[in-house]
């Protein structure tokens, strides 16, 4: 029966999360282990590819290698065991910026969708972000008039996986404008012509 050769010195390179399970390989020192005597068996790595166990962030993830071939005068005497190795997928940078908002006093809702992101892979999306303001609330639980920060946090939902990203949150600005009041129930009294434009109320 043919002798089985082991492929040595194949390593996979670490990468930043890109949504794919493909791995790049370092094959410069790849070699067969177990060739007998003076048999001529050469290694061909031109078609070799590596695949992570999945596309998500993690350390020491298994990488399966296929496509390593043999050649040489005595190669028919041997079989090949394709190697496995490990490598890391590290988190990709992602920024989430709170959109600036302008409110009229009395409207305290900042919602969960007023944000902009940069760095998501492909068609991945964020469902919602917690938005809070450092404005001091009035006794009626409305943000006070003036400018304050909107702080985003806790991006969730959508189609993205938060653990695949290193998220940086960037503040926006909340501007609260005074509410216009209408004065009601004010009436003027009728009067007899007196040559003046004054009216009593």
């Amino acid at each position: 029966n043919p002798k089985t050769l082991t492929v040595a010195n194949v390593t996979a390179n670490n990468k930043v999360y890109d949504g794919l399970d493909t791995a790049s390989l370092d094959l410069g020192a790849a070699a067969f282990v177990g060739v007998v005597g003076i048999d001529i068996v050469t290694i061909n790595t031109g078609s070799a590819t590596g695949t992570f166990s999945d596309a998500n962030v993690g350390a020491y993830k298994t990488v399966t290698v296929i496509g390593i071939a043999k050649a040489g005068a005595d190669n028919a005497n041997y079989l090949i065991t394709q190697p496995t190795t490990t490598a890391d997928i590290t988190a990709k940078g992602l920024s989430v910026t709170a959109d600036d908002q302008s409110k009229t006093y009395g409207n305290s809702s900042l919602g969960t969708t007023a944000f902009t992101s940069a760095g998501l892979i492909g068609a991945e999306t964020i469902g919602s972000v917690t938005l809070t303001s450092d404005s001091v609330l009035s006794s009626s639980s409305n943000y006070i008039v003036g400018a304050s920060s909107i702080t985003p946090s806790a991006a969730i939902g959508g189609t993205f996986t938060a653990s695949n990203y290193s998220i940086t949150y960037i503040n926006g600005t909340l501007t609260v404008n005074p509410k216009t009041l209408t004065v009601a129930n004010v009436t003027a009294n009728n009067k007899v012509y007196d040559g003046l434009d004054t009216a009593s109320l």
Side-chain angles (χ1 to χ4, degrees), residues 34-121:
V35 176
V36 174
I38 61 172
D39 281 358
I40 298 173
V41 183
T42 58
I43 191 167
N44 183 343
T45 60
S47 298
T49 59
T51 304
F52 281 98
S53 54
D54 59 62
N56 295 315
V57 166
Y60 304 107
K61 297 176 72 73
T62 298
V63 176
T64 301
V65 179
I66 62 172
I68 293 177
K70 56 189 172 62
D74 302 303
N75 83 87
N77 296 324
Y78 297 90
L79 299 175
I80 301 171
T81 297
Q82 299 287 331
T84 59
T85 184
T86 61
D88 301 342
I89 300 179
T90 56
K92 184 181 187 301
L94 170 65
S95 65
V96 174
T97 302
D99 295 340
D100 294 341
Q101 296 192 48
S102 181
K103 302 285 186 181
T104 298
Y105 178 75
N107 178 3
S108 61
S109 174
L110 297 176
T112 60
T113 60
F115 65 89
T116 303
S117 65
L120 286 170
I121 291 295

Side-chain angles (χ1 to χ4, degrees), residues 190-195:
N190 298 330
K191 74 173 184 177
V192 175
Y193 174 74
D194 62 2

